[in-house]
Amino acid sequence: MEVTAKDRLQVEEQVEQMLSGLGSEVSLCDLGLELSKPATLRKNVTYIVCGVVFNDQEEVLMVQEAKHDCYKQWYLPAGRVEVGESLEEALRREVREEAGFDCQPITLLLIQEQGPQWIRFIFLARITGGSIKTLKAADQESLQASWWDRQSSLPLRGRDILRLIEYGLKYHRNPWHPITLPLDISCRHVVQRLLLVFVGAEKQIWILLIRAPTPHLPTAAALKTHAMTWAANMVVQEALPSSYYDYEVNTLGVISLQHNGRQHGKTDGVCFNTVVALVPDRAPRDEDGLEVRWPVPVTPPPVENPRYVWMEVQEPALREKLLQETQNPSLLPIHSLY
């Protein structure tokens, strides 16, 4: 049975809302829930917030560590999200404690993850008040803060922040994705809601859906043994087992994310609303090293699991938006550190 006109309209409206940055409650999880435990800070998940803050000279705010294992080394303001905090509240607290400033998050720049048990949220932020922390105010949070021109010698706690600073500078100069801040919508588990699309040879767009109870975008729980984005692979393996190894499951980025965090163990989860492209995985050259031009499939691979169905997008404006996102994504990046 194909998707009815009424169901198609509802799905297209949901996708339009997602692409505009809106979220929706996670009322059910379609895959992996039996292998996932509710997210609970300090027990099975750790969230880190990190702030990239520039002044008018494009110097970046740095803090000098007070911890014994990295004493006097420099790093971006960063730390763990505490029980009962939202991600933005945690960022404001860390910048205030470590650098002395009040700040306002501008957008998320990047998400890094090592599975659902460790996720780092990197924000671009701006100063709204306070004064820079000096050695006179040194405490267990940090020794002091300073503006770094990114050229002078500075003993860094880790060179990983250089990439984060570059991301921040790039966005500061020329934003490449819409402002993306966490949506205050609760979630119990760490899950991925998948806008999984296939682009045909004639630029048609199909979206993979779960049929019941009504056609909807698949939601899959993240597993602690895999990168978070593996959820998309689980869906494709279940829906298209015979075609799985012929296609690349490519997570293009995050449209929005949902987190509340106010009820410990009940709302500590995060829902990542992501765009995923199913792309033919073909060798670009033959066994003699010659370039091969493979034909682009006209239609998506057939669904083999009755739980799933492909829906072709009919609304022209939505089809154009999805085509744009697959060809030139303007989405919040998510990187696995596995």
Side-chain angles (χ1 to χ4, degrees):
M1 183 181 73
E2 297 301 316
V3 176
T4 66
K6 179 181 177 182
D7 287 336
R8 184 191 309 277
L9 181 61
Q10 290 179 341
V11 170
E12 290 185 344
E13 287 178 352
Q14 181 190 11
V15 172
E16 285 277 14
Q17 289 182 338
M18 279 183 62
L19 291 175
S20 68
L22 300 177
S24 59
E25 183 182 353
V26 179
S27 55
L28 69 153
C29 183
D30 301 296
L31 200 63
L33 193 61
E34 70 283 0
L35 301 174
S36 170
K37 294 181 180 180
T40 306
L41 281 177
R42 294 184 176 175
K43 183 178 179 181
N44 60 3
V45 296
T46 297
Y47 302 147
I48 307 294
V49 291
C50 182
V52 181
V53 184
F54 296 105
N55 61 16
D56 292 340
Q57 291 74 46
E58 292 190 340
E59 296 171 321
V60 64
L61 183 64
M62 302 286 286
V63 297
Q64 192 174 35
E65 297 282 9
K67 302 183 188 73
H68 176 72
D69 60 346
C70 51
Y71 189 68
K72 288 191 174 181
Q73 295 176 337
W74 293 83
Y75 205 70
L76 293 171
R80 295 185 182 188
V81 177
E82 300 293 343
V83 171
E85 284 185 320
S86 71
L87 301 177
E88 291 185 53
E89 288 168 346
L91 177 73
R92 292 190 186 98
R93 175 183 53 77
E94 289 291 346
V95 173
R96 184 170 57 251
E97 290 176 350
E98 295 188 352
F101 287 119
D102 296 322
C103 78
Q104 177 64 38
I106 297 172
T107 184
L108 280 157
L109 289 171
L110 174 67
I111 298 164
Q112 297 175 315
E113 53 95 3
Q114 294 179 348
Q117 60 269 22
W118 188 93
I119 307 172
R120 181 158 68 169
F121 302 88
I122 298 94
F123 287 86
L124 180 67
R126 62 173 171 265
I127 299 301
T128 58
S131 58
I132 199 161
K133 187 174 185 176
T134 65
L135 281 171
K136 291 182 180 179
D139 55 20
Q140 64 182 7
E141 300 296 338
S142 68
L143 299 179
Q144 61 178 324
S146 181
W147 295 103
W148 183 40
D149 61 9
R150 312 188 316 281
Q151 303 297 324
S152 57
S153 178
L154 198 67
L156 301 179
R157 175 183 135 192
R159 295 183 62 81
D160 61 308
I161 61 170
L162 298 179
R163 184 183 189 186
L164 308 185
I165 294 169
E166 285 304 313
Y167 264 89
L169 200 58
K170 178 183 174 184
Y171 194 97
H172 180 69
R173 292 173 175 174
N174 184 26
W176 80 90
H177 65 75
I179 289 174
T180 308
L181 290 170
L183 303 171
D184 187 8
I185 304 174
S186 63
C187 187
R188 192 163 194 183
H189 293 252
V190 178
V191 302
Q192 189 178 357
R193 181 184 282 132
L194 305 168
L195 177 50
L196 198 155
V197 301
F198 178 88
V199 181
E202 299 175 3
K203 307 303 182 185
Q204 318 97 307
I205 299 281
W206 282 267
I207 299 174
L208 187 66
L209 304 176
I210 296 275
R211 290 181 181 272
T214 59
H216 62 276
L217 301 177
T219 299
L223 306 182
K224 65 179 183 180
T225 53
H226 291 78
M228 286 196 310
T229 52
W230 184 253
N233 294 70
M234 291 195 301
V235 167
V236 174
Q237 283 181 324
E238 183 175 80
L240 321 162
S242 298
S243 304
Y244 175 69
Y245 292 103
D246 296 326
Y247 287 83
E248 179 182 354
V249 183
N250 186 7
T251 298
L252 302 178
V254 175
I255 309 168
S256 61
L257 64 90
Q258 305 171 190
H259 174 262
N260 175 278
R262 293 190 180 89
Q263 292 182 278
H264 189 216
K266 294 184 178 180
T267 64
D268 286 338
V270 183
C271 175
F272 296 90
N273 297 314
T274 57
V275 179
V276 179
L278 190 66
V279 182
D281 187 8
R282 303 269 177 78
R285 298 183 183 276
D286 64 17
E287 58 188 12
D288 296 321
L290 299 176
E291 185 176 350
V292 178
R293 293 187 178 274
W294 297 97
V296 179
V298 176
T299 57
V303 166
E304 301 169 58
N305 187 322
R307 289 187 72 199
Y308 295 87
V309 63
W310 285 110
M311 184 198 82
E312 185 176 358
V313 176
Q314 301 290 348
E315 210 285 314
L318 177 58
R319 188 167 60 240
E320 191 60 34
K321 286 182 186 177
L322 290 172
L323 191 61
Q324 174 68 20
E325 289 297 0
T326 58
Q327 293 177 338
N328 187 25
S330 57
L331 300 166
L332 174 65
I334 180 168
H335 293 170
S336 173
L337 301 181
Y338 263 120

